[in-house]
Amino acid sequence: MQNLQGVDYLITILENIKDLAFLLLFISSAIYCKQLKLTKWKRKLSKGEMTMYLITSIALPVYAAIYMLLLLGT
């Protein structure tokens, strides 16, 4: 039984690391979207930059809304 508790502890640590990594990705995406928005004011964005700007502009609010719904549902 002692081994199962160790496995549960390891799974909990890995889940926490996964959550932290996702939080860092979310924050960096928001910062990158803000940077692209500032760049858009200075010059015309390339096709790749415009694609990333549109994807992050749509994905961040959608994820935030879904996350809030999941929090309210539990």
Side-chain angles (χ1 to χ4, degrees):
M1 282 300 204
Q2 184 68 16
N3 192 16
L4 289 178
Q5 290 177 350
V7 171
D8 289 339
Y9 180 71
L10 181 62
I11 289 173
T12 302
I13 289 174
L14 291 175
E15 287 176 350
N16 289 339
I17 291 172
K18 180 190 73 151
D19 292 340
L20 180 63
F22 191 80
L23 180 64
L24 289 173
L25 284 171
F26 185 80
I27 291 170
S28 63
S29 294
I31 291 170
Y32 186 60
C33 186
K34 180 69 174 172
Q35 180 64 36
L36 285 173
K37 189 175 184 178
L38 292 174
T39 304
K40 189 176 163 185
W41 280 86
K42 295 178 184 176
R43 62 173 173 85
K44 185 179 177 182
L45 297 177
S46 68
K47 289 182 182 181
E49 290 172 331
M50 184 56 81
T51 302
M52 287 302 296
Y53 177 70
L54 291 173
I55 289 171
T56 56
S57 295
I58 293 169
L60 290 173
V62 167
Y63 174 76
I66 291 172
Y67 187 76
M68 289 302 293
L69 287 174
L70 287 173
L71 281 178
L72 293 174
T74 55

